[in-house]
């Protein structure tokens, strides 16, 4: 698996191009903006783009989809709770997809939004606005924030601590780094470690 990170200045978010080394099939995660640099990245590497995965339906993470669909014939995958204004394939919690010669698991982690999905591909998590390097996603209220913290602990921190983290904003990280240094999570993780 090859992962390319593309930062969109106009959308202020990360888009990830993930490709199979074996077949050259590729997918995009969160096409916030489709710019010439991103198209050149796909074409220069001779990749066959067939799939788009959305971590959630907020505009900053899907605004480039219209442009993308004018250039490529792609299928779009998103949470069964998404209410986006275009056709997509719905996924539920822990659904496993076999796309682009890769196994992809959808992990539903609501809190930032009802439709937030973390995509697990191999040893990598594409977290959208659920978990970032040094912070977590904002929520609409106290209960949503508490739910988000609980689900990050239950659904993500139970994975291998060396799992790579590719967030919707900011730099990549690892689950272990976030366990140790993310200020939003340290207090909760410390409490859990006490007998």
């Amino acid at each position: 698996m090859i992962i390319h990170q593309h930062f969109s200045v106009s959308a202020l978010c990360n888009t990830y191009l993930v490709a199979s080394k074996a077949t050259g099939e590729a997918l995009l995660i969160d096409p916030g903006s489709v710019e010439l640099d991103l198209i050149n990245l796909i074409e220069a590497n001779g990749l066959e783009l067939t799939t788009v995965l959305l971590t959630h339906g907020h505009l900053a993470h899907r605004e480039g989809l219209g442009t993308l669909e004018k250039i490529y014939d792609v299928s779009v995958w998103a949470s069964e709770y998404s209410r986006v204004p275009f056709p997509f394939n719905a996924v539920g919690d822990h659904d496993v997809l076999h796309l682009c010669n890769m196994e992809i698991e959808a992990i539903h982690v609501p809190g930032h939004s009802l439709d937030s999905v973390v995509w697990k591909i191999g040893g990598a998590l594409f977290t959208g606005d659920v978990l970032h390097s040094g912070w977590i996603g904002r929520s609409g209220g106290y209960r949503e924030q508490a739910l988000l913290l609980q689900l990050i602990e239950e659904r993500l921190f139970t994975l291998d601590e060396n799992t790579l983290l590719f967030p919707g904003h900011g730099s990549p990280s690892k689950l272990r780094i976030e366990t140790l240094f993310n200020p939003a999570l340290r207090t909760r993780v410390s409490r859990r470690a006490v007998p």
Side-chain angles (χ1 to χ4, degrees):
M1 174 174 64
I2 302 167
I3 301 170
H4 297 279
Q5 179 179 358
H6 174 76
F7 175 72
S8 169
V9 175
S10 59
L12 297 176
C13 70
N14 296 319
T15 296
Y16 296 98
L17 175 63
V18 183
S20 165
K21 284 184 183 179
T23 65
E25 293 174 273
L27 58 86
L28 274 181
I29 300 173
D30 287 352
S33 177
V34 175
E35 299 155 352
L36 190 55
D37 289 350
L38 182 57
I39 301 300
N40 287 339
L41 183 62
I42 296 165
E43 296 301 319
N45 286 286
L47 300 175
E48 179 189 356
L49 184 68
T50 62
T51 306
V52 171
L53 304 177
L54 298 178
T55 59
H56 61 299
H58 290 166
L59 190 60
H61 295 267
R62 63 172 173 83
E63 191 168 18
L65 189 57
T67 302
L68 192 68
E69 290 180 323
K70 291 176 184 172
I71 303 168
Y72 300 101
D73 182 22
V74 294
S75 62
V76 179
W77 297 80
S79 168
E80 62 190 341
Y81 298 104
S82 287
R83 297 294 176 257
V84 290
F86 48 80
F88 66 93
N89 298 290
V91 295
D93 187 30
H94 296 294
D95 282 355
V96 176
L97 310 174
H98 296 276
L99 302 167
C100 301
N101 200 39
M102 294 177 268
E103 185 174 283
I104 303 162
E105 182 181 0
I107 304 171
H108 185 222
V109 186
H112 172 70
S113 66
L114 177 61
D115 66 336
S116 287
V117 171
V118 171
W119 298 101
K120 183 179 183 303
I121 307 174
L125 293 177
F126 298 88
T127 58
D129 286 349
V130 167
L131 179 61
H132 303 276
S133 179
W135 53 291
I136 64 170
R138 286 177 292 200
S139 300
Y142 171 78
R143 288 190 175 126
E144 292 89 347
Q145 194 75 8
L147 175 64
L148 180 58
L149 286 167
Q150 176 187 342
L151 293 177
I152 287 171
E153 183 178 332
E154 293 174 2
R155 297 183 177 187
L156 302 184
F157 283 175
T158 55
L159 300 172
D160 184 315
E161 66 181 10
N162 290 310
T163 301
L164 298 172
L165 177 74
F166 294 95
H169 306 275
S171 303
S173 186
K174 273 189 177 180
L175 282 181
R176 177 156 175 75
I177 292 170
E178 297 311 306
T179 302
L180 294 173
F181 301 111
N182 190 316
L185 301 167
R186 273 196 334 202
T187 304
R188 189 172 180 89
V189 171
S190 298
R191 273 196 310 244
R192 181 183 61 186
V194 176

